[in-house]
């Protein structure tokens, strides 16, 4: 049995609280040592494994990780990611270990090109200029998202209304990037995809390596280029039905749909000038 000094370098991992309590009581009775501060018991082995692997720099370059309960991470298996073919999954360690040219990426963006995850990644590196936060970014992060998460509904909707060319898509992507450690973030690849398949894959992403523990880490799904509001509602309802089929409780939002909507209204000269609360389950920012 380990002595006090040896216990300082031992980390005990149990797969449930009952096992932890049994070992804790036994070691306390036999050795007078409290292992509470040296024991992990609220995380699954998959979460412990993913968290440990993510700490190794070489794994950050070759493997991809998703956030899980308690600030842990799980490994996103390549075959699983391939099966989520309607979604572009944004991982916790997105871009780490890549070799993209920073100057070319920045030049392309500032010339009016589409923003990439690389632009956000480079802006966070030492010595780089921070990415300029679009109007309402802090409001969405600190007020709207927490408010949506508190709703007792499986799938909630946030409509982000913007004039073309004013940075609405960039704002949405910046929001996903900033929340990738707290949500399982993804972008819908094709607005014409089979919505039943999309709903199935969104719920699979929600439950992946996390189905033994509640609450789940919510999914934040960005949608762009939908030409009809009804399509978004259809997708929302299909996701809700899929959650009900999997018996996922809705004490809080499990999926947030961040829908970028373009508007040509001349009465909206600035991006995201007004917040309009439509109802408790759907918000429009425009």
């Amino acid at each position: 049995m380990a002595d006090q000094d040896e216990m300082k370098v031992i980390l005990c991992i149990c797969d449930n609280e009952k096992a932890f309590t049994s070992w804790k009581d036994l070691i306390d009775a036999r050795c007078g040592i409290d292992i509470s501060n040296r024991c992990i018991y609220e995380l699954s082995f998959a979460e412990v494994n993913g968290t440990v692997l993510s700490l190794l720099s070489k794994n950050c370059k070759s493997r991809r990780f998703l956030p899980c309960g308690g600030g842990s991470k799980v490994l996103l298996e390549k075959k699983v990611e391939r099966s989520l073919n309607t979604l572009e999954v944004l991982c916790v360690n997105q871009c780490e270990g890549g070799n993209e040219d920073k100057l070319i990426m920045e030049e392309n963006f500032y010339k009016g090109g589409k923003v990439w995850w690389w632009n956000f990644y480079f802006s966070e590196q030492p010595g780089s200029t921070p990415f300029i936060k679009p109007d309402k970014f802090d409001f969405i992060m600190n007020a709207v998202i927490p408010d949506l998460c508190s709703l007792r509904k499986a799938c909630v909707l946030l409509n982000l209304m913007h004039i073309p060319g004013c940075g609405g898509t960039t704002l949405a992507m910046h929001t996903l990037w900033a929340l990738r450690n707290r949500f399982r973030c993804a972008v819908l690849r094709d607005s014409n995809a089979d919505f039943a398949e999309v709903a199935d894959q969104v719920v699979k992403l929600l439950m992946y390596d996390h189905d033994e523990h509640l609450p789940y880490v919510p999914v934040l799904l960005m949608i762009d280029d939908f030409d009809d509001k009804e399509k978004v509602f259809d997708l929302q309802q299909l996701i809700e039905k899929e959650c009900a089929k999997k018996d996922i409780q809705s004490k809080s939002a499990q999926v947030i749909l961040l829908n970028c909507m373009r508007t040509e209204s001349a009465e909206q000269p600035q991006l995201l000038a007004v917040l309009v609360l439509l109802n408790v389950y759907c918000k429009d920012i425009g």
Side-chain angles (χ1 to χ4, degrees), residues 72-84:
S72 64
K73 302 178 182 66
V74 292
L75 177 66
L76 178 58
E77 299 284 354
K78 291 183 179 180
K79 64 179 181 180
V80 174
E81 186 167 13
R82 285 195 295 268
S83 72
L84 304 176

Side-chain angles (χ1 to χ4, degrees), residues 6-215:
E6 292 172 334
M7 280 300 300
K8 294 179 181 179
V9 296
I10 294 177
L11 179 64
C12 307
I13 300 175
C14 301
D15 63 351
N16 59 69
E17 186 173 0
K18 183 178 179 181
F20 158 71
T21 302
S22 298
W23 279 105
K24 173 181 176 297
D25 293 344
L26 176 61
I27 294 174
D28 191 21
R30 291 281 299 275
C31 308
I33 298 173
D34 184 1
I35 65 170
S36 299
N37 295 329
R38 305 293 305 173
C39 192
I40 295 174
Y41 61 89
E42 294 183 338
L43 303 179
S44 68
F45 284 144
E47 292 167 334
V48 173
N49 179 61
T51 302
V52 172
L53 288 175
S54 70
L55 297 176
L56 304 175
S57 59
K58 65 178 182 180
N59 288 325
C60 287
K61 297 178 181 180
S62 60
R63 302 183 180 185
R64 288 162 59 76
F65 299 92
L66 293 174
C68 214
S72 64
K73 302 178 182 66
V74 292
L75 177 66
L76 178 58
E77 299 284 354
K78 291 183 179 180
K79 64 179 181 180
V80 174
E81 186 167 13
R82 285 195 295 268
S83 72
L84 304 176
N85 58 355
T86 68
L87 310 175
E88 177 192 345
V89 179
L90 175 62
C91 286
V92 171
N93 61 323
Q94 191 82 20
C95 300
E96 292 184 24
N99 56 2
E100 299 297 319
D101 190 299
K102 177 182 177 181
L103 294 178
I104 293 178
M105 286 286 178
E106 290 182 340
E107 183 179 359
N108 179 67
F109 175 65
Y110 289 116
K111 284 184 176 180
K114 181 181 177 180
V115 67
W116 294 93
W117 302 125
W118 287 100
N119 295 112
F120 302 115
Y121 175 76
F122 286 134
S123 70
E124 294 178 350
Q125 303 311 300
S128 298
T129 302
F131 201 91
I132 298 175
K133 295 179 181 179
D135 187 25
K136 299 298 183 182
F137 174 81
D138 288 334
F139 179 65
I140 291 175
M141 291 284 293
N142 301 324
V144 178
I145 295 294
D147 185 27
L148 288 171
C149 287
S150 68
L151 299 176
R152 299 173 64 89
K153 188 175 176 66
C155 183
V156 295
L157 173 62
L158 172 63
N159 288 321
L160 191 63
M161 294 164 46
H162 64 97
I163 299 172
C166 287
T169 300
T170 299
L171 171 58
M173 292 183 67
H174 197 178
T175 301
L176 263 66
W177 179 263
L179 292 172
R180 71 190 188 283
N181 288 294
R182 293 164 45 195
F183 291 79
R184 293 189 171 179
C185 298
V187 179
L188 182 63
R189 293 183 183 275
D190 183 2
S191 60
N192 295 313
D194 180 356
F195 284 180
E197 181 64 22
V198 173
D200 176 71
Q201 293 184 18
V202 167
V203 176
K204 283 182 179 177
L205 178 61
L206 172 70
M207 299 181 67
Y208 174 67
D209 260 354
H210 201 51
D211 52 355
E212 296 178 0
H213 299 275
L214 291 175

